[in-house]
Amino acid sequence: KMFSRAAALPRGLRAFSTSRQQCAVQNVTVIGGGLMGSGIAQVAAATSHQVKMVDISEDLLQKTMNRIEKSVARVAKKKFKDDKTAADEFVATTLGNITPSTDAVAAVADGTDLVVEAIKEDLALKQKLFGELDKVAADHTIFASNTSSLSIGKIAQATDRLDRFGGLHFFNPVPVMKLVEVIRIDETSDNTFTALRDFGRAVGKHVVVCKDTPGFIVNRLLVPYMLEAARMVERGDASIEDVDAAMKLGAGYPMGPFELLDYVGLDTTSFIADGWAQDYPEEPLFKPVEIIKEKVNEDKLGVKSGKGFYDYSK
């Protein structure tokens, strides 16, 4: 009953016409229990949000919950150094705020203020998910994607709530990294934007705002930087070791571009570059680099595979 008036309005005018919709986000559904999704669920639960953590199987959910439990325990140990009772209470309360589920549709239909999607970087898959959720979500529910490289606008096209759609791009590991990028598309309403920004602040992050441009702020600057470093080595301008040393000692970066490529994953960087090059064929900054593709083809993906530009197997 409460949303019937809002539902009768045209889509663009439907934004937050009830007192309930003007409240802060309290109930969050996180879809995808990988490193990013579990981290988002953890920081939301640790800041008194009620969280539904959704993944496709009980087995994956159990692994997700185990990961969250260990991570929360580390946070508690650091936060409450000399107070074991307070630490234990923090862990219990945080975990108590998370309800696992294998049914995304049921979790969202049950009532949620915000859906944060953190599944595989696959546009069609994300569109399919949001299209299904859009049919059952309450009128006030905001949709957000944690994508790092895909267009928020293209994902949102699968729904009828463009005014209640945006991006919330967190960084790995979410409990540690202080930043979240809030992305608004042209149709994102002011109230939606405010709710997303306030949620980012509520979970303890520094919020930066960006339009729906490829890679938003961080990856738009970082990916071309890493690709250009690879091009320098490919041309024979400098060695991998010297490029990394130069950027650490000369520019004050904590990691060189090749160390960063290995940390991020060469397959991930290659996937992002390929997608951007396809969408923006005239942009030279986005052109893929052969030496990265060669490493990916050899399954030398960086830290996660034991070898990339450096050897981590020793």
Side-chain angles (χ1 to χ4, degrees), residues 36-246:
M36 295 305 298
S38 61
I40 295 165
Q42 178 184 325
V43 297
T47 48
S48 301
H49 295 85
Q50 293 300 311
V51 180
K52 287 175 191 146
M53 178 72 256
V54 180
D55 214 323
I56 56 175
S57 73
E58 293 289 354
D59 183 49
L60 286 172
L61 272 176
Q62 190 56 57
K63 288 176 182 173
T64 296
M65 293 307 295
N66 290 343
R67 187 188 306 121
I68 292 173
E69 187 170 356
K70 287 176 186 173
S71 181
V72 174
R74 284 195 298 271
V75 172
K77 191 174 180 182
K78 189 175 179 183
K79 189 172 182 175
F80 305 99
K81 290 178 185 173
D82 304 315
D83 192 340
K84 188 176 184 307
T85 303
D88 290 347
E89 189 177 325
F90 175 79
V91 171
T93 302
T94 300
L95 295 176
N97 286 338
I98 304 175
T99 304
S101 172
T102 55
D103 191 335
V105 170
V108 172
D110 191 37
T112 190
D113 302 319
L114 172 66
V115 175
V116 183
E117 166 272 310
I119 64 173
K120 183 181 175 184
E121 286 286 77
D122 181 319
L123 178 61
L125 197 62
K126 291 177 190 286
Q127 288 175 327
K128 183 173 182 290
L129 173 68
F130 277 118
E132 290 172 357
L133 299 182
D134 191 39
K135 294 170 188 169
V136 299
D139 191 61
H140 79 283
T141 302
I142 295 170
F143 285 176
S145 175
N146 180 61
T147 181
S148 60
S149 63
L150 299 175
S151 164
I152 298 294
K154 285 183 181 177
I155 299 170
Q157 288 299 326
T159 75
D160 284 325
R161 62 181 70 218
L162 301 185
D163 57 321
R164 288 149 290 156
F165 209 111
L168 278 174
H169 181 218
F170 291 86
F171 293 81
N172 186 39
V174 179
V176 176
M177 298 294 276
K178 299 295 185 188
L179 187 70
V180 62
E181 293 175 319
V182 173
I183 315 304
R184 63 185 305 174
I185 58 177
D186 291 342
E187 296 88 351
T188 305
S189 73
D190 289 343
N191 285 303
T192 296
F193 165 71
T194 300
L196 291 173
R197 182 197 64 195
D198 289 352
F199 174 72
R201 290 174 177 170
V203 298
K205 303 305 178 190
H206 181 93
V207 173
V208 294
V209 181
C210 188
K211 290 184 178 178
D212 189 23
T213 187
F216 318 133
I217 298 174
V218 174
N219 284 334
R220 179 61 181 266
L221 296 173
L222 208 54
V223 172
Y225 157 71
M226 293 189 292
L227 294 176
E228 188 57 27
R231 289 187 196 104
M232 285 193 77
V233 169
E234 196 170 63
R235 290 192 301 262
D237 295 342
S239 69
I240 289 169
E241 293 78 10
D242 282 355
V243 169
D244 276 357

